[in-house]
Amino acid sequence: MTQPERIHPMDVQMAAFHCADGLLKQLMVTKLSQCQYALPLLVPDPFTQHIEFPLWTFRQIKKSWKMRNTNNETISQTFPIYKAETPMVFFFRFGSVSSSKSELMNSLINERHNTFFHRNCPGSSRSRVLMDGVVEIAWFCSSGKNMDKFTDCVAFCNLHGDAGHNDKQLQILSEMASVNVVILPKLQRNDRSMTEVQKLYNDSKPLICLFTEDVSTLPEMQKGKYNIGLKDRNQSDVSEELRRAINDCLSDSSSTFRLEDVAKHSDTRVDEEDDDDCRRGRDAAQQMMSLLKKKDLIKNKESILPCQGKLWHQWCQKNRELHKIQGEEQGNEKETNKKKTEMNKIREQQNKSDISEIIKFFITEINSNAEHERMFFLKWLTILLDEQTSEDLQDAGFGLEHIMREIGQIFESCSSVKKQKKGLQFDFSSLPSLAAEMMISGFPLELMDGDAAHVPVIWISAVLEELIQKLGHQRVFVLSVLGLQSSGKSTMLNAMFGLQFSVSAGRCTRGAFMQLVTVSDEMKPQMNFDYILVVDTEGLQLAGSSTIHHDNELATFVVGLGNLTLINIFGENPTELQEILQIVFKAFMRMKKVRLNPSCVFVHQNFSYVTTAEKNMEGKKRLQEKLDDMTKLAAKDEVSDAECFSDVAGFDVQYDVKYFSQLWEGNPPMAPPNPNYCDNIQELKKTITTFASKSHGMMLIELKDYIKHFWEYLLKERFVPSQHGMLS
């Protein structure tokens, strides 16, 4: 019996690509880029052979690199890759050749990682169905160090299959390239391919010919023209010689390549134009951006978002004062009524404030469009807002979260004064439904406003009520995450659950965000939950007394909310560890006082000796000692009988401390993700699943009420430094 021929792995990838809608294609390509794999640039339709340029799929990809200027200073660059101007080297072949073109390209880009899949990769098979005619692209990103193979960011394009059978792809890329590299077998003079090669020789553009059946190597025969023989030669020597030739060509060429410009070729179909929903979503997002660009964000942010400026901050302050009065043993009824009157006046002012054209436009778009078009509009808007923030480098960050925050405050003010807002096209009661739809579609929703350090409970309760109406009475498991800024929290959550929390270092929005993760049908019997509600927080600041109050409040809120809290620690800085442990510990002490016993798992990111079991045991022992010492010290202040940390929180140092490898295998920007990091993610996911299977969680209706009552409890508490410097 003959063995069935194996399916080529790249056929699997391309089959998934062809079957996916635009949103899934973009997600696939974004993840491939993060993993340092080549991306589809020109894709022939398997049935019509029309060539598609999937520009939309590149829209969320950014690349960073470093280079040295003429003064030998290191310059950092970060660009959305579709608009970056870089040199481009185009590789293609004529006929059937004995050497692997993709493998040779890998040796130029990253010797330790297969950026391009090639014939000698594990799992490869003799036949492939969907790759011929596909052009893939990858970028070499320089690190600014002497060891760099190229001193700038360079794009590399790879045409799969015989270039003689793919005329359009050959024409488009060879014209756009800074350097063309062709791999050739021994050609006869009357061969059609010889005619094409002769054209390239006669063109002024640099050309490097690699002959698979030739042992001789000629240096530059004429300006920008090289012949290199491959037969019986060491690949390392060939790679070095080819690298030198490419660098020589690039040094003499001013030609640059922009991904967006591929769309200008009449021989290609651009996905953004062919997909009606994507095109309409883009047009609407660009229209909204044109409204925004008429404003100076720094000067006019409050006119764009009037409900969340001074009025919202004043209301939050009055609300805190009100709860402080109510929390005192001798509550002052006169003062209570006074505060309520003042708060109501602020709500009246919010309600009377003009609604900006930008917010009107946004509400109309997400109200009037079908789900798929709405998703494209929101995706496009996120991309364009992020691009504007990056370009302007403003302190006045403006993102989708600010827009939703304004809508939340419009709803709260209308609800409080029981009056429709002038200029609002839809009844204010429909606004929570829009936010609930966004959550169901996978977008995070701000739970705690980090600027005002407040939870808008009227808005959050209404959104959760709408979730109940749309999803039914579902049971949820709440997973909270705490950690320092830039400690890898969001990256970890995105990897573990496929989420889309922002990991951009430039974002300045503060607070807590919640996102729904659907539990698969296969996992529901094991976990007894329909959804996991992931609560991601801003990074704790640890920058002095000005942030202690906010850090403590945020930590207490998310710890109290979570059935399980992941405490994320980056590296091995003992001072930072001590400070974050103090914040976390006090949060758990407060939970003990209200008879809550939440659980936690400590995740040590970027640990240098993650593979050494003995070292890990030493680290766990030190952590246990620190936590127990804090417990004993705090017990005196709190008049508590707690003697160790496990008396305060559900925690077992043997099982609830995880050590994570470095995210990257090597040094960025060219390092691929570390497989050990992926293994650590899987192990942590199993721990969470095991814990969730033993937890009852809560129904959505219970969560809605719990958030409201728990936040009101926190407002009645005081958050000030105690005599021991601990947070209370």
Side-chain angles (χ1 to χ4, degrees):
M1 182 177 175
T2 59
Q3 291 270 340
E5 189 161 356
R6 288 185 299 178
I7 299 174
H8 196 284
M10 291 304 295
D11 280 343
V12 176
Q13 177 183 307
M14 293 312 299
F17 187 84
H18 285 299
C19 293
D21 66 8
L23 295 166
L24 180 55
K25 279 183 182 177
Q26 187 186 74
L27 181 62
M28 288 171 60
V29 170
T30 302
K31 297 298 183 185
L32 283 171
S33 175
Q34 290 172 350
C35 295
Q36 300 284 16
Y37 289 119
L39 314 176
L41 175 66
L42 295 179
V43 182
D45 185 287
F47 304 104
T48 66
Q49 294 306 304
H50 289 135
I51 299 171
E52 182 184 71
F53 168 41
L55 175 58
W56 161 250
T57 67
F58 291 89
R59 290 290 186 184
Q60 287 197 306
I61 298 172
K62 287 186 178 181
K63 293 287 183 182
S64 298
W65 64 92
K66 294 180 181 179
M67 50 191 293
R68 292 184 179 275
N69 62 14
T70 52
N71 296 326
N72 206 31
E73 298 167 329
T74 302
I75 308 296
S76 296
Q77 305 272 7
T78 298
F79 281 99
I81 201 59
Y82 63 85
K83 66 192 320 182
E85 291 194 28
T86 70
M88 188 266 278
V89 183
F90 177 39
F91 278 72
F92 54 98
R93 66 173 169 86
F94 284 111
S96 179
V97 297
S98 56
S99 299
S100 169
K101 169 168 48 69
S102 298
E103 189 172 17
L104 183 58
M105 293 179 74
N106 288 341
S107 70
L108 293 172
I109 298 172
N110 194 337
E111 291 175 338
R112 299 174 61 187
H113 175 68
N114 289 317
T115 305
F116 293 94
F117 191 92
H118 57 83
R119 66 182 68 164
N120 297 317
C121 284
S124 182
S125 59
R126 289 176 60 84
S127 63
R128 62 184 189 196
V129 181
L130 298 175
M131 280 304 290
D132 279 359
V134 172
V135 177
E136 290 186 300
I137 188 169
W139 285 265
F140 172 86
C141 294
S142 51
S143 65
K145 298 177 181 176
N146 293 332
M147 66 183 72
D148 284 337
K149 297 182 177 183
F150 304 94
T151 56
D152 199 350
C153 180
V154 181
F156 286 84
C157 290
N158 182 16
L159 171 59
H160 292 273
D162 189 338
H165 300 154
N166 298 283
D167 298 339
K168 290 180 181 178
Q169 295 92 314
L170 176 63
Q171 179 193 353
I172 293 168
L173 273 300
S174 61
E175 288 178 1
M176 299 186 76
S178 307
V179 182
N180 285 308
V181 181
V182 57
I183 301 185
L184 297 162
K186 203 156 196 170
L187 297 177
Q188 304 301 321
R189 286 193 175 276
N190 59 352
D191 196 306
R192 177 171 172 263
S193 300
M194 181 64 84
T195 307
E196 293 294 331
V197 174
Q198 194 61 49
K199 284 183 190 175
L200 293 167
Y201 259 110
N202 294 335
D203 190 84
S204 60
K205 185 164 291 185
L207 175 69
I208 302 171
C209 292
L210 306 177
F211 293 95
T212 59
E213 306 305 319
D214 200 338
V215 294
S216 64
T217 293
L218 295 176
E220 194 173 20
M221 300 175 299
Q222 61 188 68
K223 190 65 174 174
K225 300 294 188 286
Y226 293 80
N227 280 1
I228 298 176
L230 304 182
K231 188 176 181 181
D232 300 329
R233 295 192 65 199
N234 179 292
Q235 181 167 302
S236 178
D237 293 341
V238 171
S239 298
E240 180 58 27
E241 189 171 344
L242 178 56
R243 183 188 66 79
R244 283 199 303 268
I246 291 173
N247 273 321
D248 287 345
C249 292
L250 292 178
S251 66
D252 293 331
S253 172
S254 58
S255 166
T256 58
F257 165 83
R258 253 184 21 140
L259 195 70
E260 270 189 322
D261 292 342
V262 179
K264 296 176 181 177
H265 283 264
S266 58
D267 286 331
T268 64
R269 287 182 173 180
V270 183
D271 58 351
E272 293 176 2
E273 303 301 332
D274 273 9
D275 189 318
D276 291 340
D277 288 337
C278 183
R279 188 182 67 255
R280 285 194 289 262
R282 178 196 62 196
D283 293 345
Q286 287 175 338
Q287 193 176 340
M288 185 166 163
M289 291 302 297
S290 68
L291 292 173
L292 190 60
K293 285 178 180 177
K294 293 176 183 177
K295 306 279 188 179
D296 182 328
L297 271 180
I298 294 178
K299 294 178 181 177
N300 298 308
K301 191 171 181 180
E302 197 155 317
S303 68
I304 299 169
L305 310 168
C307 287
Q308 63 183 273
K310 291 177 183 175
L311 293 176
W312 171 229
H313 282 256
Q314 288 169 2
W315 189 94
C316 293
Q317 182 58 37
K318 299 291 182 187
N319 191 42
R320 286 177 180 277
E321 292 168 1
L322 172 65
H323 281 84
K324 181 181 176 183
I325 294 168
Q326 293 174 337
E328 293 171 350
E329 290 185 13
Q330 301 296 325
N332 188 320
E333 187 175 344
K334 183 179 177 181
E335 280 296 310
T336 297
N337 292 333
K338 180 184 175 184
K339 292 297 177 191
K340 287 182 177 178
T341 301
E342 291 171 345
M343 290 165 64
N344 201 53
K345 285 182 179 177
I346 294 171
R347 288 302 195 193
E348 288 278 3
Q349 287 178 275
Q350 281 184 311
N351 186 258
K352 289 177 182 176
S353 64
D354 292 333
I355 182 169
S356 68
E357 292 300 313
I358 292 164
I359 300 299
K360 281 183 188 177
F361 187 93
F362 180 85
I363 294 173
T364 301
E365 280 300 315
I366 59 174
N367 235 321
S368 58
N369 292 330
E371 181 186 0
H372 213 240
E373 188 176 335
R374 183 171 64 238
M375 284 289 289
F376 274 110
F377 167 66
L378 292 170
K379 281 278 190 182
W380 269 111
L381 188 58
T382 302
I383 291 165
L384 296 177
L385 285 170
D386 189 52
E387 184 181 316
Q388 175 173 293
T389 303
S390 300
E391 285 177 356
D392 293 348
L393 297 175
Q394 294 171 339
D395 292 329
F398 190 92
L400 190 58
E401 60 272 22
H402 296 92
I403 296 169
M404 293 308 298
R405 189 189 294 173
E406 183 72 6
I407 291 173
Q409 282 311 297
I410 290 172
F411 176 80
E412 290 209 337
S413 62
C414 291
S415 299
S416 297
V417 302
K418 298 179 173 57
K419 192 187 301 180
Q420 176 73 4
K421 188 176 182 67
K422 184 181 176 182
L424 185 62
Q425 310 95 309
F426 303 92
D427 191 283
F428 76 89
S429 62
S430 68
L431 297 178
S433 176
L434 303 178
E437 288 287 354
M438 287 175 63
M439 283 194 70
I440 292 169
S441 298
F443 287 88
L445 183 70
E446 187 175 57
L447 177 59
M448 176 190 270
D449 175 342
D451 292 334
H454 198 86
V455 177
V457 291
I458 299 172
W459 168 244
I460 295 298
S461 296
V463 173
L464 291 175
E465 186 62 49
E466 284 295 328
L467 277 178
I468 295 165
Q469 295 297 319
K470 295 174 186 297
L471 300 176
H473 291 281
Q474 306 291 341
R475 186 170 290 279
V476 296
F477 176 82
V478 183
L479 178 69
S480 297
V481 190
L482 276 174
L484 299 181
Q485 280 186 330
S486 304
S487 63
K489 296 182 287 78
S490 297
T491 299
M492 176 178 68
L493 291 173
N494 292 349
M496 191 155 44
F497 296 116
L499 303 184
Q500 298 181 59
F501 286 119
S502 173
V503 296
S504 172
R507 301 306 294 269
C508 58
T509 302
R510 307 177 67 200
F513 291 80
M514 59 181 180
Q515 188 165 351
L516 273 179
V517 178
T518 305
V519 176
S520 66
D521 291 337
E522 294 84 359
M523 293 298 292
K524 279 182 183 177
Q526 182 180 335
M527 294 181 67
N528 303 315
F529 293 104
D530 303 292
Y531 294 91
I532 295 174
L533 186 75
V534 179
V535 178
D536 188 24
T537 56
E538 67 180 86
L540 300 175
Q541 305 288 307
L542 305 185
S545 58
S546 63
T547 62
I548 280 179
H549 175 90
H550 178 69
D551 283 352
N552 187 31
E553 199 165 53
L554 178 68
T556 305
F557 178 65
V558 299
V559 165
L561 198 59
N563 299 113
L564 177 66
T565 300
L566 301 182
I567 299 157
N568 200 63
I569 300 166
F570 186 81
E572 304 163 54
N573 186 317
T575 304
E576 288 184 354
L577 177 61
Q578 179 74 15
E579 290 183 347
I580 194 173
L581 288 182
Q582 286 186 353
I583 293 171
V584 168
F585 173 76
K586 271 300 185 180
F588 278 97
M589 282 294 288
R590 285 193 175 278
M591 297 306 98
K592 189 73 172 176
K593 287 174 68 176
V594 290
R595 295 190 174 91
L596 292 175
N597 192 38
S599 299
C600 66
V601 172
F602 286 87
V603 179
H604 285 264
Q605 298 261 11
N606 214 46
F607 225 65
S608 58
Y609 44 82
V610 69
T611 55
T612 311
E614 296 79 6
K615 292 272 188 179
N616 288 352
M617 286 307 300
E618 289 175 18
K620 289 179 179 181
K621 184 179 178 182
R622 287 196 302 271
L623 176 62
Q624 181 78 70
E625 289 171 353
K626 286 179 182 177
L627 290 170
D628 290 347
D629 288 344
M630 288 181 187
T631 305
K632 291 169 187 172
L633 182 63
K636 297 174 184 177
D637 289 342
E638 305 285 344
V639 193
S640 168
D641 58 356
E643 295 183 356
C644 59
F645 184 64
S646 56
D647 291 337
V648 176
F651 174 75
D652 186 326
V653 75
Q654 296 300 320
Y655 304 103
D656 298 332
V657 179
K658 306 295 180 185
Y659 293 100
F660 268 44
S661 300
Q662 294 180 354
L663 171 60
W664 304 113
E665 192 172 49
N667 296 317
M670 291 305 297
N674 185 348
N676 289 330
Y677 180 88
C678 304
D679 293 340
N680 298 148
I681 286 285
Q682 284 301 110
E683 185 183 341
L684 178 59
K685 198 171 182 178
K686 286 179 184 176
T687 299
I688 294 168
T689 304
T690 301
F691 186 92
S693 67
K694 300 173 184 176
S695 171
H696 298 295
M698 61 182 82
M699 304 298 290
L700 274 173
I701 187 70
E702 296 172 326
L703 177 64
K704 183 194 79 165
D705 295 335
Y706 179 71
I707 289 174
K708 179 179 183 294
H709 296 310
F710 184 59
W711 178 242
E712 289 175 349
Y713 158 75
L714 290 184
L715 289 176
K716 293 173 185 175
E717 290 287 300
R718 296 189 179 189
F719 297 89
V720 294
S722 74
Q723 59 180 333
H724 294 291
M726 304 285 283
L727 303 176
S728 62

